[in-house]
Amino acid sequence: NKNEADSVAEAFASAILWAFPIVDSGDGWVLVDASEFILQDSHGVSRRLAERNQGNFSLDKSRSAIYLERTKTFPDNSEIEASITFTGNNPGEYIRQAAADPNILSLRMHHSFIRLPKAGYKPRVFHPKSGFWSFGYADYAQPVNKPVEQRFIGRHRLEKKNPSAEISEAVEPIIYYLDKGAPEPVKTALITGGMWWNQAFEALGYKDAFQIKVLPDDADPMDVRYNVIQWVHRATRGWSYGYGVTDPRNGEIIKGHVTLGSLRVRQDYLIAQGMLSRFSEGENDTEMMDLALARIQQLSAHEIGHTLGVAHNFAASTQDRASVMDYPHPLFEIDGGKVVAPNAYAKDIGVWDKAVIAYGYTSFTEDEEAAGLAKLLESNAKNELRYISDPDSRRIGDAHIHASLWDNGANTIDELERVFKLRDKALSNFGTASLHTGRPLSDLQEILVPVYYFHRYQATAAAKWIGGVDYDYATKSSSASLVLPANARQQKKALTSLIKTFDPEFLSINEALTQSLLPKAMGYSRTRESSVGNTGVTFDPVALAAASSQHTLSLLLHPARLARAKQQHAQDDKFLGITDITTALHEDVIDQSYEGSEELIHQATIDLIYSNYINLIQDAEVSSYVKAEIFGVLQKQVVYLEKKVKKKNDSDSYLDFYTYQLQRIKSIKPKSLKKDELIQLPKMPPGSPI
């Protein structure tokens, strides 16, 4: 009732966003000047650049103006764009790469004013197992025994022309328009992959309800009536996005907008180039192009899926690629002495995708909808379809054993062992056969990176078994679900596999390849895709190996993973505890010895193990019971190192190293430091997005 609505309005703070000066007025109209409103830093660029260490910038209004070329009006929306200039100092890496003058950053800031759509859209209730992202608002008119927060899914409006017909056209089909700037053969791949979604709508009895067309010459991508697939260029490879314009009252998607970064396809080509190494047979790169275009098809389907309302499903890779809404890793195989990729990426949407579209877009009468949606969810459960999304998947310390990014395989540990063999075969073939004729040999450095670190994501997935758990997004009405610890035998198997990544033989590259990795040719320089080393202009294989070791250590010694392992082991000692992990690191890594270049890699790994231990006992965010056990581990290492140093064997090439590490550890005391005060550990070049 009105009084209740008034009480809600009075209970929460409002804000006056802007005061527009009145220029003129007449009978029933007022003209205001929006120039200052449009020319403000409404996106918070200055603040965001400072937060990301990209420099100290402030708005320069004297160099800012309305950009009329992209200031237009359409039947349902008005668009105003401005050229905004910021000046500053201490520009960061990304600003220097992109800006004409790194101390002067000019960009365009866009404002959209959109008419809300006509009435008649019926919101559909959100369920955590639906596979959709959630749209919600607080409704204080709800009864006391009902939740205030009301949740719905975001989706397009879609209705059959003939609701009673088994197959019917849509009243208004969902049409996406492709940017004319996308080049061939990418354009065809984008259309092919995007059209996979029509399979899901056909399964619901729709004919041609989902379509993709090239944007007509007389159409403008800013027109809110057009769903758009946009092809954009950046200075470096970056993420692609699927988002849109949504009615804030009910979650109706008014306009889907896909943004695809053009350099992504080049990254896939680079991975194929290094893994396949085909250029000893000539310059035929058909296999590499096929892989890259297969990825573009999948990427198109993935991002369009977001604009249909669909969320990520990072458990789909464990069920035979059940969804394009996972992040797929290219699937390579070994055929004879070659690495091949005949089935690198999926060719259609998956069984999960069809189930999600069924939840969001099946037509029900009002009386049938609740029961119909429940039946769809029951069918998913009966078919044992897994669904785990972003909050449980993205961080390397996350716990779910089936939810990871860029992984493959029903069993992620078995797949890691298979990846080891693929990586070994690819590295044995790697060299000049991985490089186009006429390119500088120094380019091999960047091509090597995704091959050498080929195991990085599968290792992340396998590590989630250690201190891991299995669960789903169950509700009381759905089948019973518990948080179950990961199988103890699988935990131990995962640890055994991950320990292999510390073996200097695994981490070494052969001498012939090292000699081919020349310093950067004149006119070329290292980039963010290059491995960072300590040897000046020459390629540093020890630093390359150290970054790999640190990646595995960041998985095994993640504070959250150690805390879970400690708790699981306390409840039942069949599960891995912290002692099991640190004992394996000591016996299989620290208490070993090697010669030559393998010795240097081994010492670098030991140094990193100690550095991680030190960070754990000094990190303010690590739990006290984890700190206490790791502190005890370090004290045992002091005893171990003292015994090594007492031998004083002049022929022992490890003596100086042991002496240094002993003094280093003995000087460490437990503290509570911030992240930026801890030991800075090596990092691999960027992997995501691949």
Side-chain angles (χ1 to χ4, degrees), residues 9 15 50 91 182 197 224 330 404 421 606 649:
W197 285 107
V224 78
S404 291
K421 295 175 183 176
I606 295 173
N649 185 349

mmCIF file with all atom_site columns, all heavy atoms in Angstrom, residues 9 15 50 91 182 197 224 330 404 421 606 649:
data_model
loop_
_atom_site.group_PDB
_atom_site.id
_atom_site.type_symbol
_atom_site.label_atom_id
_atom_site.label_alt_id
_atom_site.label_comp_id
_atom_site.label_asym_id
_atom_site.label_entity_id
_atom_site.label_seq_id
_atom_site.pdbx_PDB_ins_code
_atom_site.Cartn_x
_atom_site.Cartn_y
_atom_site.Cartn_z
_atom_site.occupancy
_atom_site.B_iso_or_equiv
_atom_site.pdbx_formal_charge
_atom_site.auth_seq_id
_atom_site.auth_comp_id
_atom_site.auth_asym_id
_atom_site.auth_atom_id
_atom_site.pdbx_PDB_model_num
ATOM 1  N N   . ALA A 1 9   ? 10.577 4.378   1.101   1.00 0.00 ? 9   ALA A N   1
ATOM 2  C CA  . ALA A 1 9   ? 11.264 5.506   0.467   1.00 0.00 ? 9   ALA A CA  1
ATOM 3  C C   . ALA A 1 9   ? 11.947 6.392   1.498   1.00 0.00 ? 9   ALA A C   1
ATOM 4  O O   . ALA A 1 9   ? 13.047 6.917   1.272   1.00 0.00 ? 9   ALA A O   1
ATOM 5  C CB  . ALA A 1 9   ? 10.273 6.323   -0.357  1.00 0.00 ? 9   ALA A CB  1
ATOM 6  N N   . ALA A 1 15  ? 20.386 10.245  -3.397  1.00 0.00 ? 15  ALA A N   1
ATOM 7  C CA  . ALA A 1 15  ? 21.483 11.143  -3.759  1.00 0.00 ? 15  ALA A CA  1
ATOM 8  C C   . ALA A 1 15  ? 21.076 11.967  -4.973  1.00 0.00 ? 15  ALA A C   1
ATOM 9  O O   . ALA A 1 15  ? 20.495 11.441  -5.923  1.00 0.00 ? 15  ALA A O   1
ATOM 10 C CB  . ALA A 1 15  ? 22.749 10.337  -4.062  1.00 0.00 ? 15  ALA A CB  1
ATOM 11 N N   . ALA A 1 50  ? 44.900 4.967   -10.409 1.00 0.00 ? 50  ALA A N   1
ATOM 12 C CA  . ALA A 1 50  ? 45.731 5.033   -9.206  1.00 0.00 ? 50  ALA A CA  1
ATOM 13 C C   . ALA A 1 50  ? 45.703 3.707   -8.459  1.00 0.00 ? 50  ALA A C   1
ATOM 14 O O   . ALA A 1 50  ? 46.738 3.224   -7.982  1.00 0.00 ? 50  ALA A O   1
ATOM 15 C CB  . ALA A 1 50  ? 45.258 6.170   -8.303  1.00 0.00 ? 50  ALA A CB  1
ATOM 16 N N   . PRO A 1 91  ? 53.200 7.244   -15.310 1.00 0.00 ? 91  PRO A N   1
ATOM 17 C CA  . PRO A 1 91  ? 52.311 6.317   -16.017 1.00 0.00 ? 91  PRO A CA  1
ATOM 18 C C   . PRO A 1 91  ? 52.803 4.879   -15.892 1.00 0.00 ? 91  PRO A C   1
ATOM 19 O O   . PRO A 1 91  ? 53.999 4.607   -15.930 1.00 0.00 ? 91  PRO A O   1
ATOM 20 C CB  . PRO A 1 91  ? 52.380 6.801   -17.470 1.00 0.00 ? 91  PRO A CB  1
ATOM 21 C CG  . PRO A 1 91  ? 53.702 7.501   -17.574 1.00 0.00 ? 91  PRO A CG  1
ATOM 22 C CD  . PRO A 1 91  ? 53.910 8.145   -16.243 1.00 0.00 ? 91  PRO A CD  1
ATOM 23 N N   . ALA A 1 182 ? 34.823 -7.426  -38.373 1.00 0.00 ? 182 ALA A N   1
ATOM 24 C CA  . ALA A 1 182 ? 35.463 -8.724  -38.143 1.00 0.00 ? 182 ALA A CA  1
ATOM 25 C C   . ALA A 1 182 ? 35.922 -9.301  -39.475 1.00 0.00 ? 182 ALA A C   1
ATOM 26 O O   . ALA A 1 182 ? 35.128 -9.425  -40.417 1.00 0.00 ? 182 ALA A O   1
ATOM 27 C CB  . ALA A 1 182 ? 34.485 -9.673  -37.459 1.00 0.00 ? 182 ALA A CB  1
ATOM 28 N N   . TRP A 1 197 ? 23.590 -21.821 -30.437 1.00 0.00 ? 197 TRP A N   1
ATOM 29 C CA  . TRP A 1 197 ? 22.512 -21.637 -29.469 1.00 0.00 ? 197 TRP A CA  1
ATOM 30 C C   . TRP A 1 197 ? 21.137 -21.940 -30.056 1.00 0.00 ? 197 TRP A C   1
ATOM 31 O O   . TRP A 1 197 ? 20.201 -22.266 -29.320 1.00 0.00 ? 197 TRP A O   1
ATOM 32 C CB  . TRP A 1 197 ? 22.533 -20.213 -28.902 1.00 0.00 ? 197 TRP A CB  1
ATOM 33 C CG  . TRP A 1 197 ? 23.646 -20.035 -27.929 1.00 0.00 ? 197 TRP A CG  1
ATOM 34 C CD1 . TRP A 1 197 ? 24.805 -19.343 -28.110 1.00 0.00 ? 197 TRP A CD1 1
ATOM 35 C CD2 . TRP A 1 197 ? 23.718 -20.582 -26.597 1.00 0.00 ? 197 TRP A CD2 1
ATOM 36 N NE1 . TRP A 1 197 ? 25.604 -19.416 -26.990 1.00 0.00 ? 197 TRP A NE1 1
ATOM 37 C CE2 . TRP A 1 197 ? 24.956 -20.175 -26.044 1.00 0.00 ? 197 TRP A CE2 1
ATOM 38 C CE3 . TRP A 1 197 ? 22.861 -21.372 -25.831 1.00 0.00 ? 197 TRP A CE3 1
ATOM 39 C CZ2 . TRP A 1 197 ? 25.347 -20.541 -24.758 1.00 0.00 ? 197 TRP A CZ2 1
ATOM 40 C CZ3 . TRP A 1 197 ? 23.253 -21.734 -24.553 1.00 0.00 ? 197 TRP A CZ3 1
ATOM 41 C CH2 . TRP A 1 197 ? 24.482 -21.321 -24.035 1.00 0.00 ? 197 TRP A CH2 1
ATOM 42 N N   . VAL A 1 224 ? 19.774 0.588   -29.468 1.00 0.00 ? 224 VAL A N   1
ATOM 43 C CA  . VAL A 1 224 ? 19.461 -0.428  -28.468 1.00 0.00 ? 224 VAL A CA  1
ATOM 44 C C   . VAL A 1 224 ? 18.586 -1.545  -29.031 1.00 0.00 ? 224 VAL A C   1
ATOM 45 O O   . VAL A 1 224 ? 18.440 -2.604  -28.416 1.00 0.00 ? 224 VAL A O   1
ATOM 46 C CB  . VAL A 1 224 ? 18.802 0.235   -27.235 1.00 0.00 ? 224 VAL A CB  1
ATOM 47 C CG1 . VAL A 1 224 ? 17.335 0.546   -27.500 1.00 0.00 ? 224 VAL A CG1 1
ATOM 48 C CG2 . VAL A 1 224 ? 18.969 -0.622  -25.993 1.00 0.00 ? 224 VAL A CG2 1
ATOM 49 N N   . PRO A 1 330 ? 42.652 -26.109 -24.805 1.00 0.00 ? 330 PRO A N   1
ATOM 50 C CA  . PRO A 1 330 ? 42.758 -26.902 -26.036 1.00 0.00 ? 330 PRO A CA  1
ATOM 51 C C   . PRO A 1 330 ? 43.170 -28.335 -25.732 1.00 0.00 ? 330 PRO A C   1
ATOM 52 O O   . PRO A 1 330 ? 44.075 -28.575 -24.939 1.00 0.00 ? 330 PRO A O   1
ATOM 53 C CB  . PRO A 1 330 ? 43.822 -26.162 -26.855 1.00 0.00 ? 330 PRO A CB  1
ATOM 54 C CG  . PRO A 1 330 ? 44.588 -25.352 -25.856 1.00 0.00 ? 330 PRO A CG  1
ATOM 55 C CD  . PRO A 1 330 ? 43.613 -24.991 -24.785 1.00 0.00 ? 330 PRO A CD  1
ATOM 56 N N   . SER A 1 404 ? 37.214 -25.767 -12.007 1.00 0.00 ? 404 SER A N   1
ATOM 57 C CA  . SER A 1 404 ? 38.456 -25.055 -12.318 1.00 0.00 ? 404 SER A CA  1
ATOM 58 C C   . SER A 1 404 ? 38.344 -24.432 -13.705 1.00 0.00 ? 404 SER A C   1
ATOM 59 O O   . SER A 1 404 ? 37.468 -24.788 -14.499 1.00 0.00 ? 404 SER A O   1
ATOM 60 C CB  . SER A 1 404 ? 39.660 -26.001 -12.279 1.00 0.00 ? 404 SER A CB  1
ATOM 61 O OG  . SER A 1 404 ? 39.933 -26.429 -10.966 1.00 0.00 ? 404 SER A OG  1
ATOM 62 N N   . LYS A 1 421 ? 52.861 -35.869 -20.281 1.00 0.00 ? 421 LYS A N   1
ATOM 63 C CA  . LYS A 1 421 ? 53.384 -36.551 -21.474 1.00 0.00 ? 421 LYS A CA  1
ATOM 64 C C   . LYS A 1 421 ? 53.284 -35.651 -22.710 1.00 0.00 ? 421 LYS A C   1
ATOM 65 O O   . LYS A 1 421 ? 54.203 -35.621 -23.541 1.00 0.00 ? 421 LYS A O   1
ATOM 66 C CB  . LYS A 1 421 ? 52.618 -37.854 -21.697 1.00 0.00 ? 421 LYS A CB  1
ATOM 67 C CG  . LYS A 1 421 ? 52.818 -38.876 -20.586 1.00 0.00 ? 421 LYS A CG  1
ATOM 68 C CD  . LYS A 1 421 ? 51.936 -40.103 -20.793 1.00 0.00 ? 421 LYS A CD  1
ATOM 69 C CE  . LYS A 1 421 ? 52.090 -41.085 -19.634 1.00 0.00 ? 421 LYS A CE  1
ATOM 70 N NZ  . LYS A 1 421 ? 51.178 -42.251 -19.760 1.00 0.00 ? 421 LYS A NZ  1
ATOM 71 N N   . ILE A 1 606 ? 64.308 -25.139 -3.801  1.00 0.00 ? 606 ILE A N   1
ATOM 72 C CA  . ILE A 1 606 ? 64.436 -25.181 -2.333  1.00 0.00 ? 606 ILE A CA  1
ATOM 73 C C   . ILE A 1 606 ? 64.291 -23.776 -1.759  1.00 0.00 ? 606 ILE A C   1
ATOM 74 O O   . ILE A 1 606 ? 63.598 -23.558 -0.755  1.00 0.00 ? 606 ILE A O   1
ATOM 75 C CB  . ILE A 1 606 ? 65.787 -25.793 -1.911  1.00 0.00 ? 606 ILE A CB  1
ATOM 76 C CG1 . ILE A 1 606 ? 65.872 -27.258 -2.336  1.00 0.00 ? 606 ILE A CG1 1
ATOM 77 C CG2 . ILE A 1 606 ? 65.982 -25.677 -0.401  1.00 0.00 ? 606 ILE A CG2 1
ATOM 78 C CD1 . ILE A 1 606 ? 67.227 -27.890 -2.103  1.00 0.00 ? 606 ILE A CD1 1
ATOM 79 N N   . ASN A 1 649 ? 82.223 -30.508 3.713   1.00 0.00 ? 649 ASN A N   1
ATOM 80 C CA  . ASN A 1 649 ? 82.902 -31.188 2.617   1.00 0.00 ? 649 ASN A CA  1
ATOM 81 C C   . ASN A 1 649 ? 83.136 -30.178 1.503   1.00 0.00 ? 649 ASN A C   1
ATOM 82 O O   . ASN A 1 649 ? 82.195 -29.699 0.879   1.00 0.00 ? 649 ASN A O   1
ATOM 83 C CB  . ASN A 1 649 ? 82.038 -32.353 2.124   1.00 0.00 ? 649 ASN A CB  1
ATOM 84 C CG  . ASN A 1 649 ? 82.734 -33.176 1.058   1.00 0.00 ? 649 ASN A CG  1
ATOM 85 O OD1 . ASN A 1 649 ? 83.771 -32.784 0.527   1.00 0.00 ? 649 ASN A OD1 1
ATOM 86 N ND2 . ASN A 1 649 ? 82.169 -34.332 0.764   1.00 0.00 ? 649 ASN A ND2 1
#
